[in-house]
Structures are given as C-alpha cells and as structure tokens.
Amino acid sequence: MEKRVNFRDRQELQAGDLTNLGDYASESLDRAVREGLTDEKKFSGFAVSKTGATEVTVSPGTYWSNGERYIREQSHEIDFLSQLPLATKKIAAIIATGQTIDTGIEPRDFLIDVETGATEPDSVAMQKLRYAEFQLAYGTENATPQRPTVSTDNLVIAWVTLSTTGVDSIEAASENEFMSTKRLAQRATELEVWRTQAGEQITTLGTDITTLATRVGQMANSTILARIFADVALIKAQLELEDNYSGYGNENFLAVDQSISDPTAPGYSVKVEEGMRFPDANAASVAITLFNPLDPSVKVGSNGLLLPKYTEVRRLSVDTFYQQLSLSQYEYQEVTFKKIAMSAQRLRFGLAMTVCNNSEFWRTGTFDYRKGIFTDKLGRTYQALGTDWDTRWTGSEIANSKEKWIRLQQFWYDTEVEYYQDRVVTDFTVSGSMVAQTFLNTQGGWLTSLDLFFTQVAATGNVRLLVTKTASGKPDLERVVAETTVDAAALVKGSNASQANHWTRIPLVPTALEAGERYAIVLLTGGDHYVGLTQGANYAAGTLFYSTDGAFFQGDLTLDMMFRANFASFDHNRAEIDLGSLNLAGGINDLDIAYEGVVPSGTELGFEVRPEGSSRWYSVGAGDNPFSTLPALVSFRAVLIGTKDLMPGFRLTGSNVKVSRPATAMTHFTKEIILPAPTQSVKVVVILDMFNEANHEFDIVLNDITNASLNKVPASEVNEVLEEKDGTRKRIRRTFEWNATQLPVATSKFVIKSTGTATLATEIFHVERLTYLTF
C-alpha cells in the first residue's frame, strides 16, 4: 500500500483520518489490478442460465473496470416476457455496469451538545459499496436476427436469443471474461506439457524435411518412368510380329470410340473399358444419400457437401485497427470470374474389376483432364468413357498430371490430387469496385466463415465475397474456390475491433484450403462501404491489392485488410455415416462410386458395405469381397478418418453409385478391316486374362465381306500360358489362324467376330489385346 495514515499519542482523530484508511487501501488495490492484471472492462462469474420459459438468472459475480471491482452477491432474475418478438426472433444483450452506492443502514448516536454530552440517534449508511448493475439492449426482430449495437463503454456478459415462445438460446460473451492468474497458470502448464510431448518431434522437423527433399530429388520422375515403360511395351509388341506380314492391326480395347470395335453391328454386346469385357446383365444407378436425413453426426452444406459434425474456431486473425479504406474510391468495373469445382473421385470395386495390363497405355501420352481427352504418341485422341462421371474420373499419371490412379484386382480408384480443379467451371459476371487481401494458409482445414471489420456501411450496395487461389502471389479470378453475396443490410458497422459484435460474420460453404498455399479474399461492391486496415500484420504473410480494368495492382505494402478466418473443428477423429442402402434385382457383383470430394493427406475416406443377413461390414477395396454370393441388398456407409482439425468430405449432390452384375455371354464385332492386298492367310492373336479353361470359353470367327461368306471358323487354335494367376485362372495368348482351306478365294475385307461365355457371373475374364496379321 503506497499511502498510510499516521497516528500519534494524544493526537486529535478526525473522521477524515478514518475514512482515509479505507480509501488508501482501495486505491492501492485498484492500482495493483489495473497495472498488474487488466485495465479493461471484464467480468467474472455472472453465469447466465435459463430458469423459466421467458426468464433467465444471472449468478453472483464481479464487474471489473479500470482496476475497480463492482460486485453482485446475490443472483439476479431477468424476465423477457414483455420483450418477446411478435413473429420471428431477436437478440438481447445483457450488459454489466457499475456504480458506487451507500448501503448498510444502521442506527448511530450523534453528539448535539458538547457541554452536556447530549446525543441524538439517526439511521445512516455505514458502507460504501461498488455495486454491479445490469442493463438490457435489444436488436431488431428478424428471421436472421442481428445482435444489437452496444457502446464500447458497456460490457456484454451474454447474448440471449428470444423467440415468440420465450428464451431460445444463451451465448456467453466469453471474449469479455476475466482471465484469472489460476487459469493462466493452468493454460501455461498445458502448453508446457504439450511442449514436452511434441517438442522433440518439432525440433527435428527441419532435418526431416531436408532429408525428404534430398531423397525426392534423387528419385526418377514419373515422366521418365512412363517413357521407359512405353518404349519397352513398343519393343515387345514389335518383336511379336512376323517378318512376312502385309497387313496388320492392334487393338488395346481402351476406349470404344477410338477402337476397331463396331457397337452398331447387330448382336454386338460387350463392354470396352481397359479391355473387352462382359456387358451388364443388370445395372442401376442412384445418388448417394443419407440413411437418416437428420443424422446428428454430420453437417450437410447448401451445396450438398457432407462433413462430420464440427464447431467453428478462429484460426487466423488480423484484427488490430490502424485506419479505414473506402472500397468505392476504386474504379467501378465489370468483372468476370470462374468458380472451379471440387476434385472428382471414382472408386470401382467388384469381381468384374480385373486388372488389364493394357492400362499402362494411359501413361504413354498426354491427358487433358479439363476435357477428358487422352492423346497418344501417334496423335490419336481418346474421349474418356461416358458423358458424365467417366469424363471426370479417367485416371492417368503423366507429366504435369493432376490425377492419379490405382489398379488393384477387384478395386479401381481414380482421383484428382488437388482439392479443386478447373475441369468444370461456372462463369459469373458482376460489377463494382474491387479490393483483395492475400494470405498464406499454414495449416490445412475447412474454411467455414470469414469475419470482416467495416468501419462505415452504406444503406445500399451488396458485397460479393470471393475466396480465390493465387497466381504469382496475386488473386486469380480464374480459380475461385468459394463465393457468396452479403446484403448491405447485413453489414455491421464496427468501431471497436475487440468486440465480437462489431465484426460482420460471413458464412461460407465449407471450403477446403491446402496447407502452404496462398489464397485471396476478394471484395466486389458498388456500395460506399469502408473496411478496417491494420499495419504490419506479418502473421498473415499477405498483401493488400486493388483493381483497375480487371487487373490487380499492389496496394500499400505496409497495410493489410482486417479479417478473421474461422475453420471447422471436428467433434471426433472418426465418423461412420450410414448411407442409403443399395439393391439390384438378381444380385450385386460390382460397385461403381463417383463423387466430388476432398481427401487431404493424412486423412482417409472409405466406403463399407454389409450384405443383407450378414453382421459384418466389408471395406470397399480391402480384404474379402462381399459380392461373392451376389447379394440383392446391401447396407452402405462412409467411414471418414482424420483429426479434429482436418477431415475428408464429399458432396452428396451430383454423386452417383452404380451397382451392376455382368452377363455371362459377350459378342464383339470389329469394324470392316480393309487390307492393302487380298490374302488367304490371316492370323488373330488375343491375350485373355483371368481365364479359367474349365468355366470359360472364347472363340473367334471371320466374316469375309469381300466374298459374302460369314462365320469362317479357324483352321487352328493354339494356347500359350503367359502367367499363372491363382492356380485355376491364367493369362494366356490364344492364336487363331485361317489359310486357303477356310479362305478358298482371297479376301481384302473382313470383320472379326469374337464370342465369350462364363459359367458364373462371379468369375469372369477379359480380353486384354487383339492383334491381326495377314500374309
């Protein structure tokens, strides 16, 4: 205590001396709190709870202001009955204030005659009390109510949302809560424990990254390997050809529109997809849906994006006000931007998904993932199968490719590596002044909302907000990953950046941001709005830009736009989500799942099925095959694994699940093959994979178009085993040959007709390659 009252023997004692005893102690304690703990307005205690339909109770607590403490020792009840909204909702703020009052009324005798000692009684206040009071402020009634504007001189302790029936929800203003030294010590202890547990791993990251970079640099790149594989395949194919042939052709059965297949021929019934395969005997396609549309363990966005349940946490904050910036001072212009699509994924699983060696062909050329077109080394183009999903999910791993593919027996997986791709774009054109702020996203996650600080708000002029990728550090309007429009009426005018209700919260469809990537926040508006700027905000590692004629020019390098980025924090590290069941008359043999989604590194997105009558869930692509008994109905679910900061997600909208069962017979016709010279000697060589001679049949006949003679059986058929698969199934080379006996008159035009059968739909084969030679 800095001041004390001195007392001496036989000294006169006045009332002021005794009063100073308390005043000096109070001033000293106030200064200690103000200079040692906080000089801001804060509160402790004052927990607000609902105690009736229209009533809340505030528990005892303390209001702190400039070091002074104002207390409330009894609970306080607040009834909102008279303030309930008439039709929608509104938000009330409970505000704490303080005043010093005289209290503690007690009787005391007062001397009225010094000579006689006569006294007179009176009841007086014996105590001065710093007393905490409560006030209320109400926002306007609205279907999407906004918090009321509260002066910075006041302190909000809670926000109460009111509906027509009473108190709907209570949200504590935790940002205004007093942080005690005990809680600070607890948090410091937690940080020290975390540091002890993670410190060694963190300190060695630099060495680990350097080692990884060195090892990656020493590896051959995929382009070189692909070229080597292509050259080896070409040499092997050339060595198989005989010296005296005069006409030849080779078919890999990769894509029907670039093959010698003739799907218009009567009786044609075959599937061409990385091999000649059995067609579907039955198939059905449905969109992926939730088994329970109200499943509380997930959140589904307006665009159909499914994520495990999460809450929002602030991860990036640039919120120290320095000065304001007028958005309308820059050129009003027409701006075109392109919103790009979430990465596409395709997973195919089943007994018919046998791997074909000719899939290596996709590595030998270039693939345009935007158009789904592959160009081989001879300049021939291949359109990816289908017009919907297959166009998006064709896989390759070529130079500069943004896709990868996996081919395992009974499991095919195609995916695009980046979170968002411009294979599908949506064009937008808007008008207004444009300002942007870039930032470095240091940790991968799902961006759920942005908070912006507007210092002045006009009555009109909506704000279009874009989140874009960047090119050379500048916003790239050709690659917008998220966009939304904020009505002028929804903008909040802020004056105190430390108050949460002075910021404008802008919800976004959850958007996956990659770690280490630079993004931009772009604002377009025709309104006379002002945003707050900060100075020297190096944490965001970004730059403020303004635009003229659609081009971005760098702004002041010392200033940045104020913003807060909020990300999803997931409730659990693993989520099992029940999806709509799958069924097919006659039984399911194969599963083809196509969807748009993001599976960040370190996370997993898998699907599981459970056949009707079984208690076991089978993981799609791992372990045993659940379709060996051709179940007609299977339960279906997704399994998402990650961390509380990062989980995979996928879109229900536009998704597709195809269930199918192959037929046990196929018939293939080539187009008419025109030879350079007539011949009576023809040889056809096919590679059959997963072929079981006990259960499978495959034959070829020639249709002699020149001489109008059909179904010419070969003179000979020779088999050569190239590879043993599992003891019963093999990869074989089968050679068919025709000579002058079968072709008594030379032919210059013919069609190759292939037929195949299988005993069981659960055990089928495919034709990998067909080569014809004429002599």
Side-chain angles (χ1 to χ4, degrees):
M1 188 166 67
E2 299 84 3
K3 298 179 181 179
R4 293 183 299 175
V5 179
N6 293 325
F7 295 98
R8 303 171 185 83
D9 292 339
R10 298 181 302 279
Q11 175 185 320
E12 176 187 7
L13 178 64
Q14 297 184 359
D17 297 330
L18 296 177
T19 301
N20 286 338
L21 288 175
D23 290 344
Y24 292 164
S26 177
E27 290 172 3
S28 180
L29 181 59
D30 291 349
R31 186 178 294 108
V33 172
R34 183 168 54 252
E35 297 176 0
L37 295 177
T38 180
D39 60 352
E40 297 179 308
K41 290 180 172 63
K42 296 290 182 181
F43 73 91
S44 57
F46 291 157
V48 181
S49 59
K50 181 178 178 180
T51 52
T54 62
E55 186 179 88
V56 299
T57 298
V58 184
S59 68
T62 304
Y63 166 63
W64 306 71
S65 177
N66 197 33
E68 298 176 355
R69 299 173 60 248
Y70 298 85
I71 64 172
R72 188 80 172 220
E73 297 176 313
Q74 296 84 28
S75 296
H76 178 68
E77 295 179 353
I78 301 174
D79 195 337
F80 295 100
L81 180 61
S82 63
Q83 295 291 338
L84 295 181
L86 298 176
T88 54
K89 293 183 179 182
K90 67 179 177 181
I91 296 176
I94 301 179
I95 300 168
T97 61
Q99 63 175 335
T100 302
I101 62 174
D102 291 329
T103 186
I105 305 299
E106 294 181 11
R108 289 291 187 271
D109 289 334
F110 288 82
L111 182 67
I112 59 174
D113 191 324
V114 177
E115 293 181 357
T116 63
T119 62
E120 182 178 85
D122 195 6
S123 294
V124 294
M126 296 302 298
Q127 183 182 85
K128 282 191 178 294
L129 175 66
R130 289 176 178 171
Y131 187 66
E133 298 273 359
F134 299 109
Q135 299 176 0
L136 300 173
Y138 295 91
T140 57
E141 182 175 340
N142 197 291
T144 55
Q146 300 294 317
R147 291 175 175 176
T149 300
V150 179
S151 169
T152 55
D153 294 331
N154 295 326
L155 182 77
V156 177
I157 64 172
W159 305 96
V160 181
T161 301
L162 304 176
S163 66
T164 57
T165 58
V167 175
D168 193 19
S169 64
I170 300 172
E171 180 181 354
S174 56
E175 67 274 12
N176 296 332
E177 194 172 356
F178 184 84
M179 184 66 70
S180 68
T181 55
K182 179 179 179 181
R183 289 174 61 189
L184 287 173
Q186 290 173 343
R187 295 178 65 180
T189 300
E190 292 171 358
L191 287 173
E192 290 169 357
V193 171
W194 173 83
R195 172 65 181 173
T196 301
Q197 294 173 344
E200 291 300 321
Q201 299 177 11
I202 294 174
T203 54
T204 60
L205 280 178
T207 302
D208 295 340
I209 292 172
T210 302
T211 302
L212 284 173
T214 302
R215 294 180 64 183
V216 169
Q218 294 170 349
M219 296 172 63
N221 92 27
S222 60
T223 303
I224 297 174
L225 293 175
R227 290 175 180 172
I228 292 173
F229 293 156
D231 291 342
V232 170
L234 180 60
I235 292 170
K236 290 174 67 177
Q238 289 177 341
L239 290 176
E240 290 177 356
L241 301 180
E242 299 181 32
D243 293 334
N244 59 344
Y245 65 84
S246 60
Y248 70 96
N250 184 73
E251 177 53 53
N252 289 314
F253 299 111
L254 292 172
V256 68
D257 59 344
Q258 287 291 332
S259 72
I260 60 174
S261 303
D262 182 11
T264 64
Y268 182 96
S269 179
V270 76
K271 182 190 296 184
V272 175
E273 186 175 18
E274 293 187 14
M276 181 199 300
R277 300 177 182 273
F278 288 86
D280 292 334
N282 193 13
S285 295
V286 296
I288 301 176
T289 59
L290 285 173
F291 181 78
N292 175 11
L294 303 178
D295 190 338
S297 66
V298 300
K299 287 189 176 182
V300 179
S302 59
N303 66 340
L305 176 67
L306 183 149
L307 289 172
K309 186 181 178 183
Y310 63 85
T311 55
E312 284 189 302
V313 296
R314 187 184 306 161
R315 190 179 291 178
L316 180 60
S317 183
V318 181
D319 56 6
T320 303
F321 179 77
Y322 177 71
Q323 67 183 52
Q324 63 183 3
L325 173 71
S326 171
L327 299 180
S328 62
Q329 67 178 297
Y330 300 112
E331 179 184 359
Y332 188 90
Q333 56 190 304
E334 185 176 273
V335 179
T336 299
F337 65 90
K338 299 180 183 292
K339 185 177 180 183
I340 59 180
M342 188 173 287
S343 294
Q345 323 281 329
R346 185 182 184 190
L347 186 155
R348 288 171 282 180
F349 177 69
L351 298 168
M353 297 294 105
T354 52
V355 178
C356 187
N357 286 0
N358 60 21
S359 61
E360 289 294 330
F361 175 77
W362 295 125
R363 296 178 179 267
T364 66
T366 57
F367 184 70
D368 186 339
Y369 64 92
R370 298 173 184 86
K371 300 177 181 178
I373 294 177
F374 176 83
T375 304
D376 68 13
K377 287 193 171 185
L378 299 178
R380 295 174 298 186
T381 58
Y382 297 78
Q383 177 68 47
L385 292 174
T387 58
D388 184 16
W389 291 108
D390 287 339
T391 301
R392 305 177 183 184
W393 279 269
T394 301
S396 64
E397 192 170 7
I398 53 181
N400 301 319
S401 173
K402 298 183 180 179
E403 300 78 31
K404 65 180 180 180
W405 53 258
I406 299 172
R407 292 290 183 267
L408 303 174
Q409 204 68 42
Q410 299 182 351
F411 175 67
W412 294 4
Y413 180 52
D414 305 273
T415 180
E416 293 173 326
V417 177
E418 293 186 2
Y419 288 2
Y420 295 87
Q421 301 278 358
D422 52 0
R423 55 178 167 73
V424 178
V425 300
T426 304
D427 293 331
F428 295 88
T429 300
V430 294
S431 297
S433 302
M434 184 160 54
V435 172
Q437 172 69 44
T438 60
F439 66 94
L440 179 66
N441 188 56
T442 57
Q443 182 181 3
W446 291 90
L447 178 68
T448 54
S449 66
L450 288 167
D451 295 338
L452 298 181
F453 191 72
F454 290 90
T455 57
Q456 294 187 43
V457 174
T460 61
N462 296 342
V463 175
R464 194 69 171 262
L465 182 143
L466 315 177
V467 180
T468 78
K469 292 189 174 185
T470 59
S472 301
K474 294 183 178 182
D476 186 356
L477 297 182
E478 299 287 312
R479 297 188 298 164
V480 176
V481 296
E483 60 89 22
T484 189
T485 300
V486 186
D487 292 339
L491 300 178
V492 177
K493 178 182 177 182
S495 59
N496 185 354
S498 65
Q499 300 290 325
N501 60 314
H502 285 231
W503 290 76
T504 300
R505 172 65 57 89
I506 303 176
L508 298 170
V509 171
T511 304
L513 301 188
E514 298 183 60
E517 291 291 323
R518 197 174 298 276
Y519 294 88
I521 302 168
V522 181
L523 302 182
L524 296 104
T525 183
D528 187 21
H529 310 304
Y530 287 68
V531 293
L533 300 180
T534 189
Q535 187 178 41
N538 296 324
Y539 181 68
T543 304
L544 176 68
F545 291 90
Y546 66 88
S547 172
T548 303
D549 294 330
F552 281 101
F553 295 88
Q554 188 167 289
D556 192 330
L557 291 176
T558 65
L559 298 175
D560 290 278
M561 186 191 305
M562 295 172 64
F563 72 94
R564 294 171 174 173
N566 304 306
F567 286 74
S569 176
F570 297 96
D571 291 1
H572 303 287
N573 298 332
R574 176 186 172 91
E576 295 178 350
I577 302 165
D578 290 329
L579 304 174
S581 300
L582 308 174
N583 63 85
L584 184 69
I588 299 172
N589 191 82
D590 301 296
L591 189 64
D592 188 344
I593 309 170
Y595 57 91
E596 290 182 345
V598 172
V599 185
S601 177
T603 70
E604 298 178 29
L605 169 58
F607 294 92
E608 295 181 348
V609 295
R610 184 185 62 182
E612 183 181 21
S614 172
S615 60
R616 176 184 173 185
W617 285 95
Y618 294 81
S619 178
V620 173
D624 299 335
N625 194 312
F627 302 136
S628 57
T629 59
L630 295 178
L633 176 67
V634 296
S635 299
F636 186 41
R637 73 181 182 186
V639 179
L640 292 79
I641 302 173
T643 66
K644 292 202 171 183
D645 297 317
L646 190 60
M647 290 285 281
F650 64 95
R651 289 186 63 200
L652 300 177
T653 304
S655 63
N656 184 74
V657 181
K658 177 185 176 182
V659 289
S660 61
R661 181 183 67 261
T664 54
M666 64 177 173
T667 302
H668 178 270
F669 293 89
T670 67
K671 298 174 182 176
E672 292 184 356
I673 298 171
I674 302 174
L675 304 177
T679 184
Q680 292 178 284
S681 181
V682 177
K683 183 181 292 187
V684 176
V685 181
V686 294
I687 306 297
L688 306 176
D689 205 355
M690 304 303 290
F691 193 81
N692 182 349
E693 291 182 306
N695 298 329
H696 298 154
E697 293 289 340
F698 184 82
D699 296 295
I700 287 180
V701 296
L702 287 184
N703 289 341
D704 183 355
I705 305 302
T706 301
N707 301 298
S709 180
L710 305 180
N711 298 322
K712 309 289 284 186
V713 298
S716 63
E717 176 185 312
V718 178
N719 292 327
E720 177 186 354
V721 177
L722 302 177
E723 182 182 355
E724 293 280 354
K725 292 290 187 176
D726 57 8
T728 59
R729 293 183 289 183
K730 305 172 183 178
R731 180 170 178 257
I732 68 172
R733 178 188 290 113
R734 179 168 290 183
T735 303
F736 303 88
E737 190 166 359
W738 292 258
N739 53 37
T741 302
Q742 291 76 41
L743 301 172
V745 179
T747 181
S748 58
K749 184 188 299 184
F750 61 81
V751 169
I752 302 173
K753 176 183 177 182
S754 306
T755 58
T757 60
T759 303
L760 302 171
T762 54
E763 184 188 19
I764 59 176
F765 67 95
H766 66 266
V767 182
E768 178 182 312
R769 183 182 297 112
L770 181 150
T771 303
Y772 66 88
L773 311 169
T774 63
F775 306 91

